[in-house]
Amino acid sequence: MSNTRPASGKLSIFVTRRWPQAAEVALGEHFDVTLNDGDKPLSRDALIDGFASHDIAAPTVSDKIDAEIVAAGAAGKCRLISNYGVGVNHIDLAAAAAHDIPVTNTPGVLTDATADITMTLMLMLCRRAGEGERELRAGEWTGWRPTHLVGRALSGRTLGIIGMGRIGRAVAHRAHFGFGMDVVFQNRSPIADGAGVGARQLTDVAAVCAASDFVSLHCAATAETANIMNADAIAAMRPGGYLINTARGDVVDETALAKALHDGVIGGAGLDAFQGEPQINRDLLSAPNTVLLPHLGSATEETRVAMGMKVVENARAFAAGSALPDKAG
Ligand code: DGY
């Protein structure tokens, strides 16, 4: 089928989850929009139907867009997948390429929010904020005393970053200039400028783990990075070291991590992304010294609106036959 325009002259777009209002309004100015009014996860059949019956599909991180859904879209009207979110590991990019359907994403606009949530997790861990809040709410706080919930400072400690892209750099900047931390990192390609903070690039993940008090994951989830924090990498961490994951669950071997936490091999973990989320590994739920957040990395009003505006920008470029600003696949 071709991209025949409806009477409105606008292309149709299928949006799988509700967006902040300002972004939905902007989308409606340029497209015939189908919203998921109930904002519940859509069934596979609903996704297939939505992809097939709209010119553009705008899924998000929590939708699994496999080859069959892409093929149904291609057999129907879908000519663009404009993802609401920067990560595209939930979309079968090879299938999209095989059907000549471009995929766009929303880079840049969630860098600061995600770096902020990374610092939140680091601070919550080393200052024992989660423990303290749970204790107080449970009515178990017996009052101030010099030895109560004593944590550690960030200042003077070493942060190891895996994946020095936009978000990795923003975290390095906050950690170094805001909290006086030293930074080391691993990255696929060489980074010449020390990420602007005098950071040292090390040869591999194990070297970063061995050199760091905090290891923070900022790589994209790809076939190469699947389980990059495996049992060996976790074993290479310093005793008492903390693992932070605001990237994707797939980059961590959660079974190995839960075991290391329960065995006290590492100091703790701060996680904002999980394999199979929103289901959470039971051994992580019960692990000590662990802060678990429900994928809040980009969850500020400003960022979530900006992500929607990125989809609008990409979809408008597509409608105009222009180059796509954020082609991810
Ligand atoms: C993304 O855009 O990939 C983020 O994970 C959403 O917070």
Side-chain angles (χ1 to χ4, degrees), residues 60-61 83-90 106 110 114 246-248 272 295-299 304 307:
T60 191
V61 175
N83 185 57
Y84 180 97
V86 68
V88 287
N89 60 311
H90 56 291
T106 65
L110 38 69
T114 309
T246 57
R248 283 290 183 272
D272 185 50
H295 205 141
L296 295 180
S298 63
R304 292 284 167 85
M307 290 164 72

Side-chain angles (χ1 to χ4, degrees), residues 148-307:
H148 180 227
L149 286 182
V150 172
R152 295 285 305 273
L154 286 184
S155 171
R157 303 182 82 196
T158 300
L159 170 64
I161 290 183
I162 308 297
M164 193 57 96
R166 286 189 194 86
I167 297 172
R169 288 181 83 94
V171 171
H173 193 274
R174 281 160 174 73
H176 182 71
F177 293 115
F179 293 92
M181 299 182 80
D182 295 325
V183 181
V184 297
F185 67 99
Q186 178 272 346
N187 194 64
R188 247 184 339 176
S189 49
I191 305 257
D193 69 348
V197 301
R200 275 187 308 127
Q201 183 161 7
L202 304 182
T203 46
D204 53 30
V205 171
V208 170
C209 289
S212 306
D213 301 301
F214 289 82
V215 175
S216 192
L217 306 174
H218 299 289
C219 47
T222 62
E224 294 85 62
T225 62
N227 280 345
I228 198 167
M229 280 309 291
N230 56 20
D232 289 344
I234 293 167
M237 287 176 66
R238 290 183 172 172
Y242 296 106
L243 179 67
I244 310 293
N245 185 13
T246 57
R248 283 290 183 272
D250 292 348
V251 301
V252 175
D253 178 341
E254 291 185 344
T255 306
L257 173 61
K259 182 165 168 31
L261 289 164
H262 282 280
D263 292 350
V265 170
I266 62 170
L271 309 175
D272 185 50
F274 305 88
Q275 285 177 24
E277 58 185 54
Q279 266 71 54
I280 307 294
N281 179 318
R282 288 212 332 247
D283 295 332
L284 284 180
L285 285 174
S286 61
N289 306 324
T290 303
V291 178
L292 307 174
L293 297 181
H295 205 141
L296 295 180
S298 63
T300 66
E301 176 72 15
E302 298 85 345
T303 300
R304 292 284 167 85
V305 170
M307 290 164 72

